[in-house]
Amino acid sequence: GIAGIGRMGWVHAGPLLELERQEGVCRLCAIVDPDEARLKAFARELDFNGPLFPSLDHYLEADLCRATMVVSPTEHHQSHAMTLVCAGHRVLMEKPLTGTLAGDLACCAELDRDYPQALMLAFQRRFDGAL
């Protein structure tokens, strides 16, 4: 699933749908976003027929999958990711984790202690020489 269908949500959803439709190697099960108009626009423009949820709670209640990309606004990254991780999901999350170094360290310590290998942070420019 994908939590957040703003700009980066579309960036992730497009290739997933392409892999699903052309290769059959994955399946995009559901989309979560509080903006109903954005959900409907996404479904219409990318011909997505799966479930659309207005909240993580509704998404988790449906129990459709166990892996979720978190691409919600930055201020929700940590709470969305930890809600999903605590529910047993594997999470790929767009950067940043929390927005502060202290917050990142605390969150990573909790993840390492209680949920090892449950979260991966996406940093698409990690191989960019200038960085």
Side-chain angles (χ1 to χ4, degrees), residues 18-91:
E18 185 177 329
L19 284 170
E20 176 181 349
R21 293 169 181 161
Q22 294 179 4
E23 307 293 329
V25 297
C26 65
R27 187 169 140 241
L28 182 53
C29 296
I31 304 292
V32 181
D33 197 285
D35 186 324
E36 183 179 356
R38 192 168 35 216
L39 284 170
K40 288 180 179 180
F42 170 83
R44 183 179 56 254
E45 289 185 37
L46 292 181
D47 194 29
F48 178 72
N49 297 314
L52 305 172
F53 295 98
S55 71
L56 276 182
D57 291 337
H58 289 102
Y59 170 67
L60 288 171
E61 286 172 15
D63 196 28
L64 297 173
C65 64
R66 291 279 180 240
T68 304
M69 290 185 179
V70 173
V71 285
S72 54
T74 298
E75 62 268 16
H76 303 297
H77 279 189
Q78 183 181 9
S79 64
H80 287 175
M82 293 309 291
T83 296
L84 290 158
V85 165
C86 290
H89 283 237
R90 294 292 188 113
V91 173

